[in-house]
Amino acid sequence: MSFEDLHLGSIVVSTVRNAPVLIFAAMAGLFAERSGVIDIGLEGKILASAFVSAAVAFTTQNPWYGILAGIAVSVAIALLQGCIAITQKGNQLVAGIAINITMSGLTFVVAQYFFQQGGRTPDLGEARLSEIVLPGSAAVADVPVIGWIWTQLLGGHTVLVYLAFALVPLVHWVLYHTRFGLRLRACGENPHAADAAGVSVERTRYAAMLIAGILCSFSGAYLAIVQSGFFLRDMSAGAGYLALTAMVFGNWRPFYTFLGCLMFGFFGAVQIQLEGVDLPVVGRIPGALIQMVPYVVTVIVLAGLMAKSVAPKAIGVPFVKSR
């Protein structure tokens, strides 16, 4: 395959399909961290929901049951994380890392116990979510540009893709134009002032963790039921950490965080397209180096923007009610 065979259209469509995993996780992290709870455990919740979604979808041959089961397990983990961070006032970083390590091993062991396929689930087959064909797709399919936009860029995706992109303005509206969003941000910036105003800081943070658990489950479900069609050990491949980086890139704001997710989705698409391609001057790049692209970009983004990003002032600080 030569450099000329690279198609910009394929990269753009792949970007759209790669981004939902990061968008769901990043929006989940936004709710948690805007309330003052560091959510390092995104990766673990993605893995747990991916495994449970795939296992239940295969067993029932119904992807919606798989998604519901993924929501249940992700919410349970998020509330456990909330109990440690909010009620017990434990170290939030350690709790998140513990969840990630535990889920990485536990999902593999349970998958191996039930399915005996080397720690993965069987292929879902018909239990995957179907793609949505927009009305009139057949009529415009052969029309240059318009046909591609209507049938591939806007159409041909599953419902979770549309949900991910619709989520961004919804999260913005909730955070900045609702009473709940105001209380949430107050708990992340100055919880004692929020408490003095009659806001229950613990209840608000638990609500944020509940929402984060629900949103994060969609990342896992998307990976297992839409992209792969099965569960594989550590299949999230650092998506939770990339989502955290997108939050830093976006300065904990929904729209800019969304742009960060698109950026990482784009480099993930480029990585896939570059495999086996003969580039001018340098020739064919080894696959291992190509796979490093998203993570090298992550390091560059963090190194360049970490000092400029302003996190919520009370993030990671357990709230102790004033007497």
Side-chain angles (χ1 to χ4, degrees):
M1 185 175 180
S2 65
F3 180 72
E4 288 75 14
D5 293 326
L6 281 175
H7 297 291
L8 180 60
S10 298
I11 294 176
V12 172
V13 173
S14 294
T15 299
V16 172
R17 294 184 175 179
N18 288 341
V21 175
L22 301 177
I23 294 172
F24 285 126
M27 296 301 126
L30 268 180
F31 275 100
E33 300 206 351
R34 275 292 193 168
S35 74
V37 179
I38 299 176
D39 199 358
I40 295 292
L42 291 173
E43 184 82 1
K45 291 193 284 287
I46 293 174
L47 283 173
S49 58
F51 166 67
V52 173
S53 296
V56 173
F58 172 77
T59 304
T60 63
Q61 286 298 295
N62 189 318
W64 297 106
Y65 289 157
I67 291 173
L68 289 175
I71 290 174
V73 72
S74 182
V75 166
I77 295 172
L79 293 180
L80 172 62
Q81 185 180 359
C83 179
I84 296 171
I86 302 167
T87 303
Q88 301 302 322
K89 311 194 189 313
N91 188 299
Q92 298 173 15
L93 290 173
V94 173
I97 293 172
I99 287 173
N100 293 343
I101 295 173
T102 301
M103 290 304 113
S104 175
L106 186 61
T107 51
F108 171 78
V109 171
V110 176
Q112 175 64 16
Y113 177 79
F114 281 107
F115 300 107
Q116 300 293 315
Q117 293 192 11
R120 56 163 282 174
T121 63
D123 292 331
L124 299 183
E126 296 299 320
R128 299 177 69 175
L129 284 177
S130 58
E131 296 179 348
I132 297 174
V133 179
L134 297 180
S137 294
V140 301
D142 296 328
V143 179
V145 183
I146 295 176
W148 172 79
I149 292 174
W150 188 252
T151 61
Q152 297 185 48
L153 183 62
L154 298 180
H157 307 294
T158 64
V159 65
L160 288 182
V161 175
Y162 299 107
L163 177 61
F165 282 85
L167 189 63
V168 178
L170 178 61
V171 170
H172 175 85
W173 177 76
V174 170
L175 285 179
Y176 295 103
H177 299 283
T178 67
R179 181 179 299 177
F180 172 73
L182 177 62
R183 292 176 175 178
L184 184 80
R185 289 183 287 118
C187 291
E189 294 291 340
N190 194 331
H192 291 284
D195 179 65
V199 177
S200 173
V201 176
E202 288 195 358
R203 189 180 304 169
T204 303
R205 288 182 172 179
Y206 267 112
M209 294 305 296
L210 175 65
I211 296 171
I214 294 172
L215 295 182
C216 201
S217 72
F218 292 135
S219 285
Y222 184 82
L223 272 176
I225 297 178
V226 177
Q227 279 196 327
S228 303
F230 54 84
F231 171 81
L232 186 67
R233 182 178 188 178
D234 291 333
M235 68 185 304
S236 55
Y241 299 112
L242 289 178
L244 288 172
T245 306
M247 275 194 295
V248 175
F249 174 86
N251 205 18
W252 286 266
R253 296 178 181 273
F255 180 70
Y256 295 111
T257 298
F258 165 71
L259 293 180
C261 294
L262 283 183
M263 179 184 67
F264 288 123
F266 170 76
F267 283 109
V270 170
Q271 167 206 328
I272 295 172
Q273 290 287 321
L274 284 179
E275 291 187 10
V277 175
D278 293 318
L279 298 174
V281 182
V282 297
R284 184 169 299 186
I285 302 176
L289 289 178
I290 295 175
Q291 291 172 5
M292 290 171 55
V293 170
Y295 307 103
V296 171
V297 173
T298 301
V299 173
I300 294 173
V301 169
L302 287 176
L305 295 176
M306 183 63 83
K308 301 178 183 178
S309 297
V310 181
K313 294 178 181 178
I315 189 169
V317 180
F319 172 68
V320 179
K321 192 176 180 68
S322 302
R323 297 184 180 277

